[in-house]
């Protein structure tokens, strides 16, 4: 969905709103289901932000429900940030804690950075969802519970000896007991569906209720449902009816006496066209844009792996942009095909996660030796081994830096937000093409699956890598003969020429054995090997990257918090909290991790204390200590979830107070 922030949606005051008619209800002279103007009889409260979490079984459609609520919120013009959280199993046992799937959305009338530390509203579709999530809800928060699922057997599955709806354990919350399943079946009784088929629409009933509660638009969801189930129109209309029934239940029931409005975040964004976008989708679009601007075909050689598979799925839809996707039989074949495509003149990409990087390491070393442009997109997840396939982590940094045999330096780029994945893909492609080198792009599961508003750029404003292929001889021998030397380098970038196979006169050897400088012939000469190793390192060290920007408003801070990748949102939110309380603190965030920005050492020397928050056991801090001899302090977390801004702020405050 896209929206013009320069012309935001109205409906921000306490005025009549469009509300869908309940299933089977219509007004005289109107088509069935026509929205009608209703003057709200209930109190409307204005909020500046809300955090909602939908939770249920992995088969309850919580990700779809959250995605639809997010899309309508983006259309309305709020700033937003999301956190999908789902089990690794395709379908864990129903009603169990391991099978709980949730989707958290934070939306506001101003600029926000994280999906929220804790939900203000929890929608729990069953006892397992309630038990798995209630500890995150602050006292006084709202809890909407599907009472139909709280049978003795279902409660016993998750360890409830008595019903939490009756034993007083939820007295500190504003609990709304709603028989979602029963109400959904009743709303769909005229559709001729079986009970099981009707029950599947209870997530749409819940979505309708929450859409009423927070005055979300409805038209987009109804259009989505009719398109999604176009081949089964009766199912489409049943879902629309359940959605409308949920809306009208909120408007008519006495249990919900208040609805809420969160105005569009018109001051948070420059004027332009915006859409909600996830990190993997933004990364996919960035790769397409980079190939288009370079006037190169885009080739993806990949093997499906969570959480990177969505990039393969998305790119496979864009053959019309010169994109070719190859789903290989394994990780090694995927990168082998991609490297072959790079040799053939494509912008070549391989996507994976940490376990796949381990398998691809030998071919990455081959790409270093061949000095060909290749993007290795690593969507990091919890490890080691299979680890936590659906949870996030930043533990592949040292693997990206050093996980190959021999001296095999590779540039490393890391996006900081879901939308920033687009620009990071462009930057990684620029480096790969300009310097003829493989490049690591380190995203993670939090960025990949999370989403936020993204300003759609003008394609003509995007950088042009200016790729040129060698078409003829580039060296003259002592006897005057013109020849092609595949390892004769550009004096500025140290990049070797890129010659398309089949070009007459440009035949040359490739392979993993050490090359002779210039000629590319096989060489075992010790002096030549020393020269080639140092030259490859010098090429990476000499990559032009922007200087590190430091956010230090008054220059009085003695503590610097340094981050990389997806920690940007929680770090920035924590820094804002500390500054609001009067604590001086500086912030800097690294996009380029190899090579580091040239001014990083000077920046680090300006501060007495440097704190490095990471979702690993201190990998960037280790690199900082080794290279700059700075006593960087690690603040680490490896629980599969992103940092919470409040806890991070507490840790940073302790570092400030310790000075």
């Amino acid at each position: 969905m896209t929206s013009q922030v320069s012309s935001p949606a109205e409906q921000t005051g306490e005025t009549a709103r469009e509300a869908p008619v309940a299933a089977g209800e219509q007004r005289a002279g109107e088509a069935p289901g026509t929205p009608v103007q209703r003057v709200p009889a209930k109190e409307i409260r204005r909020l500046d932000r809300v955090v909602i979490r939908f939770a249920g079984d992995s088969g309850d459609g919580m990700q779809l429900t959250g995605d639809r609520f997010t899309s309508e919120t983006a259309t309305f013009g709020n700033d937003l940030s999301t956190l999908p959280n789902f089990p690794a199993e395709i379908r864990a046992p129903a009603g169990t804690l391991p099978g709980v799937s949730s989707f958290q959305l934070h939306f506001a009338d101003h600029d926000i950075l994280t999906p929220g530390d804790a939900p203000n509203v929890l929608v729990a579709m069953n006892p397992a969802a309630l038990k798995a999530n209630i500890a995150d809800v602050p006292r006084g928060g709202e809890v909407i519970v599907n009472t139909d699922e709280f049978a003795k057997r279902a409660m016993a599955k998750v360890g409830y000896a008595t019903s939490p709806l009756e034993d007083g354990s939820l007295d500190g919350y504003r609990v709304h007991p709603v028989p979602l399943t029963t109400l959904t079946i009743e709303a769909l009784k005229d559709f001729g569906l079986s009970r099981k088929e009707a029950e599947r629409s209870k997530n749409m009933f819940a979505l309708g209720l929450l859409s009423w509660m927070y005055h979300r638009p409805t038209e987009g969801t109804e259009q989505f449902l009719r398109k999604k189930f176009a081949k089964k129109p009766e199912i489409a209309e049943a879902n629309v009816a359940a959605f409308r029934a949920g809306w009208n239940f909120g408007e008519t029931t006495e249990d919900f006496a208040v609805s809420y409005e969160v105005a569009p975040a018109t001051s948070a964004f420059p004027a332009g066209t915006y859409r909600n976008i996830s990190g993997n989708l933004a990364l996919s679009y960035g790769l397409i844009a980079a190939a288009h601007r370079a006037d190169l075909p885009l080739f993806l050689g990949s093997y499906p792996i969570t959480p990177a598979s969505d990039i393969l799925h998305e790119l496979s839809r864009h053959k019309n942009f010169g994109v070719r996707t190859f789903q290989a039989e394994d990780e090694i074949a995927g990168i082998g095909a991609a490297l072959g495509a790079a040799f053939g003149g494509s912008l070549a990409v391989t996507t994976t996660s940490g376990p796949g990087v381990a398998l691809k390491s030998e071919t990455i070393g081959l790409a270093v030796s061949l000095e060909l442009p290749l993007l290795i997109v690593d969507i990091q997840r919890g490890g080691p081994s299979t680890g936590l396939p659906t949870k996030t982590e930043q533990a592949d940094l040292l693997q990206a830096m050093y996980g190959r045999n021999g001296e095999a330096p590779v540039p490393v780029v890391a996006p900081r937000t879901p939308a920033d994945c687009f620009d990071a893909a462009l930057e990684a492609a620029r480096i790969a093409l300009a310097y003829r080198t493989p490049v690591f792009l380190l995203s993670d599961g939090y960025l990949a699956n999370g989403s936020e508003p993204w300003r759609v750029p003008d394609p003509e404003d995007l950088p042009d890598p200016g790729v040129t292929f060698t078409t003829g001889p580039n060296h003259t021998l002592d006897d005057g003969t013109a020849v092609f030397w595949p390892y004769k380098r550009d004096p500025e970038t140290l990049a070797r020429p890129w010659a398309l196979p089949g070009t007459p006169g440009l035949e040359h050897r490739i392979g993993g054995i050490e090359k002779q400088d210039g000629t590319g012939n096989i060489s075992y000469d010790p002096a030549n090997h020393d020269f080639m190793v140092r030259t490859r390192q010098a090429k990476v060290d000499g990559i032009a990257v922007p200087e590190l920007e430091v956010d230090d408003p008054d220059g009085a801070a003695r503590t610097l918090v340094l981050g990389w990748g997806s920690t940007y949102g929680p770090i920035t939110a924590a820094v804002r909290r500390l500054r609001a309380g009067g604590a001086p603190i500086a912030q800097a965030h690294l996009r380029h991790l190899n090579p580091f920005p040239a001014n990083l050492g000077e920046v680090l020397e300006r501060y007495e204390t440097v704190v490095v928050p990471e979702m690993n056991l201190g990998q960037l801090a280790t690199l900082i200590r080794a290279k700059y001899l700075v006593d960087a302090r690690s603040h680490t977390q490896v629980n599969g979830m992103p940092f919470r801004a409040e806890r991070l702020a507490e840790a940073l405050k302790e570092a400030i107070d310790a000075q």
Side-chain angles (χ1 to χ4, degrees), residues 47-54 69-70 73 78-84 102-110 112-123 133 136-138 140-144 174 210 213-214 216 260 262 577 644-645:
L47 303 173
D48 65 346
R49 67 172 73 200
V50 175
V51 180
I52 298 174
R53 184 182 297 176
F54 298 93
F69 196 95
T70 299
T73 297
N78 295 119
D79 194 12
L80 60 90
S81 180
T82 68
L83 178 62
S102 68
F103 188 104
Q104 184 163 304
L105 166 67
H106 182 191
F107 61 101
D109 65 1
H110 58 278
I112 58 174
L113 298 156
T114 74
D117 285 356
N120 307 113
V121 182
L122 171 65
V123 180
N133 293 280
D136 293 337
V137 183
E142 297 198 68
V143 181
I144 300 172
R174 289 179 288 167
L210 269 293
M213 196 171 174
Y214 291 96
R216 299 296 90 186
Y260 306 92
V262 181
R577 293 189 185 201
R644 292 187 176 185

Side-chain angles (χ1 to χ4, degrees), residues 13 18 40 105 112 139 153 253 310 336 353 403 460 488 495 603 652:
E18 296 279 324
L105 166 67
I112 58 174
R139 292 288 173 171
R153 183 177 179 184
T253 184
D310 286 342
S353 190
E460 297 305 315
K488 183 171 184 176
V603 167
L652 296 177

Side-chain angles (χ1 to χ4, degrees), residues 216-430:
R216 299 296 90 186
T218 61
E219 295 82 359
T221 293
E222 294 190 10
Q223 292 172 7
F224 168 83
L225 290 171
R226 291 191 171 102
K227 182 178 180 180
K228 179 177 178 64
F229 298 106
K231 295 182 179 179
K232 296 181 178 180
E234 70 283 359
I235 299 297
E237 292 309 314
N239 277 280
V240 170
F243 175 69
R244 292 178 172 180
W247 177 293
N248 285 283
F249 176 79
E251 189 168 77
T252 58
T253 184
E254 295 181 1
D255 192 38
F256 292 90
V258 178
S259 65
Y260 306 92
E261 283 194 341
V262 181
T266 53
S267 62
F269 309 110
T273 300
Y274 287 78
R275 59 157 296 161
N276 181 50
I277 199 165
S278 68
N280 274 352
L281 183 58
L283 201 153
S284 300
Y285 287 175
L287 294 174
I288 295 171
H292 177 76
R293 293 297 287 163
D295 196 24
L296 296 174
L298 176 64
F299 181 91
L300 173 66
S302 183
Y303 180 75
I305 183 171
T306 303
S309 299
D310 286 342
I311 301 172
L312 171 62
H313 301 160
E314 182 60 33
L315 290 180
S316 67
R317 299 186 178 105
H318 298 288
K319 295 178 182 178
N320 55 314
F321 286 112
V323 179
R324 179 171 294 178
T325 54
F326 170 58
Q327 180 174 321
E329 65 269 29
D330 55 40
E331 295 281 2
I332 299 171
I335 190 173
L339 185 56
F343 177 63
S346 294
L347 175 57
V349 184
T350 189
T351 53
T352 190
S353 190
V357 173
L359 293 168
K360 296 177 188 288
S361 62
E362 183 179 4
T363 307
I364 297 171
L366 176 59
V368 171
S369 175
L370 296 180
E371 300 189 46
L372 287 171
L374 172 67
L375 300 186
I376 305 109
V377 178
D378 178 5
I379 313 298
Q380 301 166 95
R381 70 190 204 190
S385 187
T386 307
L388 305 173
T390 60
K391 310 302 179 184
T392 195
E393 207 163 270
Q394 289 182 298
D396 294 350
L397 176 56
L398 294 183
Q399 181 177 219
M401 288 285 292
Y402 304 117
R404 294 162 296 283
N405 65 296
E407 297 289 344
V410 174
V412 181
V413 176
R416 63 186 188 178
T417 69
D420 187 50
C421 289
F422 178 86
D423 295 315
L426 289 172
E427 175 66 357
R430 175 192 74 85

Side-chain angles (χ1 to χ4, degrees), residues 173-187:
Y173 307 95
R174 289 179 288 167
V175 179
H176 302 279
V178 181
L180 289 173
T181 307
T182 299
L183 291 171
T184 302
I185 293 172
E186 177 65 21

